[in-house]
Amino acid sequence: MPPNKSKHSLLKEGDDGRRFLLDDFGEVNASAPPRPDLPPFQITHEHRRFAEFADAVRTHRYIGLCWGPPGVGKTLSARHYAGADDWEQWDSIFTEDLGPVPERVLDARTAFFTPTVAATPRQIDQGLPRACQRISFAVDFAEHGVVDPYVHTQSRSSGRTELLIIDEADRLKTTGLEQVRDYFDHHHMGVILIGMPGIEKRLARYPQLYSRIGFAHEYRQLTPDELTAVLARRLPAAGDTADGGVAHATAIATIVRITAGNFRLVDRLLTQIERVQTVNDLDALTPEVVEAARQALLIGH
């Protein structure tokens, strides 16, 4: 079968690419493939608080520290703020025509970086400037139609990147944290470190880095009222039912109680609810459906 995009093909005439089957090759893309089935991002009160925090760090060029329990939406908020999903779909070596730089990327001018679990000092030393410089070049490309750092010198040394968000900052060891501090000292941009509760106490042991932290933000779980509003947008309305929608409302309240404001648990539970409804050919949302879905998860046991 001929390649879909011969312009990008690595194969020469008579080459069927079997070496990719027989030799040891890693993944072609560094990031995960896009997931078009993801639900639209929900703007919540906690996300608005995070966006205000990120704007302050970006404006005043300080280091900001954000922490919260797993599953509350820290990474989702950070990626949405930076336009990371739009960037990853736009910035691809397989794209025939780049097209315009995504508006969210241009508005945020924010690089998003996640260290690997076993990130070496060399990987961090190379990864930070690479992530930031590409955003800076993208701004040049949007404004001038070309990327030429010898003509448009403002983009050199990531000069047009205003914020760097480092997710999973708990993975950074002592050397990695020192590299972040050194990178911050040599650039005019804000930096946000996102981690688990307790990271603020851990960083207090590094006075040189800790003294540069100008803003702190605790990402909290959704309140029951706000989670109810989010579920109302995610789930279809009850419609005309014999009980006047009591079962639907009770099911919503049950979901709120089970998930306790945790976004990740909400997504998993809703996925199981859809599966239960499909298997049993049900349209209505009832407490029994929610209970059947809960039993398929680890929560609540």
Side-chain angles (χ1 to χ4, degrees):
M1 179 181 296
N4 293 329
K5 296 180 179 180
S6 57
K7 181 179 178 181
H8 299 292
S9 178
L10 299 175
L11 306 182
K12 298 180 181 180
E13 185 176 356
D15 185 357
D16 61 3
R18 67 180 61 194
R19 62 185 179 280
F20 291 103
L21 297 173
L22 304 177
D23 294 338
D24 294 327
F25 289 94
E27 295 182 350
V28 175
N29 284 340
S31 59
R35 293 180 56 190
D37 59 327
L38 288 176
F41 183 79
Q42 301 284 341
I43 302 295
T44 64
H45 175 66
E46 283 304 309
H47 172 72
R48 287 192 291 268
R49 289 180 64 241
F50 176 85
E52 292 171 359
F53 157 74
D55 287 341
V57 174
R58 174 181 166 191
T59 300
H60 297 284
R61 303 299 203 268
Y62 283 120
I63 293 180
L65 185 59
C66 173
W67 69 88
V72 294
K74 302 185 301 296
T75 299
L76 286 176
S77 281
R79 289 181 62 85
H80 183 77
Y81 181 91
D85 290 333
D86 295 340
W87 169 262
E88 289 174 359
Q89 295 185 38
W90 178 80
D91 179 52
S92 171
I93 62 173
F94 297 107
T95 302
E96 193 78 33
D97 181 15
L98 276 177
V101 180
E103 285 296 326
R104 185 173 297 279
V105 174
L106 296 177
D107 291 341
R109 300 195 179 193
T110 297
F112 187 86
F113 177 77
T114 305
T116 61
V117 176
T120 64
R122 179 181 178 85
Q123 289 173 330
I124 297 174
D125 195 45
Q126 294 178 343
L128 294 181
R130 183 181 296 138
C132 294
Q133 184 65 80
R134 293 171 80 183
I135 296 296
S136 202
F137 282 157
V139 176
D140 263 9
F141 185 74
E143 291 189 2
H144 308 295
V146 296
V147 178
D148 190 343
Y150 294 97
V151 175
H152 308 118
T153 58
Q154 191 179 4
S155 62
R156 290 183 184 178
S157 300
S158 307
R160 310 200 70 177
T161 303
E162 299 178 0
L163 180 64
L164 165 64
I165 297 178
I166 302 177
D167 195 22
E168 303 286 357
D170 308 87
R171 296 175 177 176
L172 296 174
K173 306 299 188 292
T174 301
T175 305
L177 292 172
E178 282 299 306
Q179 286 176 300
V180 171
R181 180 185 65 83
D182 184 70
Y183 187 81
F184 170 77
D185 287 345
H186 287 86
H187 293 79
H188 187 60
M189 69 175 70
V191 175
I192 292 178
L193 300 172
I194 299 179
M196 295 286 289
I199 190 174
E200 72 281 7
K201 298 177 182 177
R202 176 193 168 201
L203 294 186
R205 301 197 297 266
Y206 305 95
Q208 287 184 302
L209 175 63
Y210 200 70
S211 64
R212 289 163 171 79
I213 296 177
F215 298 93
H217 175 75
E218 181 179 4
Y219 205 108
R220 301 172 301 205
Q221 295 177 329
L222 293 179
T223 64
D225 290 342
E226 187 163 28
L227 180 54
T228 300
V230 169
L231 291 173
R233 294 194 295 266
R234 288 282 301 272
L235 296 170
D240 295 330
T241 58
D243 64 353
V246 173
H248 184 87
T250 304
I252 294 290
T254 303
I255 295 174
V256 172
R257 175 179 54 81
I258 291 174
T259 59
N262 188 295
F263 249 134
R264 189 172 298 158
L265 293 183
V266 169
D267 280 335
R268 292 179 179 177
L269 186 59
L270 292 183
T271 299
Q272 290 295 335
I273 288 174
E274 292 175 359
R275 182 187 66 84
V276 171
Q277 289 177 320
T278 301
V279 169
N280 295 277
D281 195 22
L282 299 173
D283 294 326
L285 178 66
T286 64
E288 291 76 19
V289 170
V290 176
E291 177 62 23
R294 183 196 65 81
Q295 291 179 0
L297 300 177
L298 291 177
I299 58 174
H301 290 285

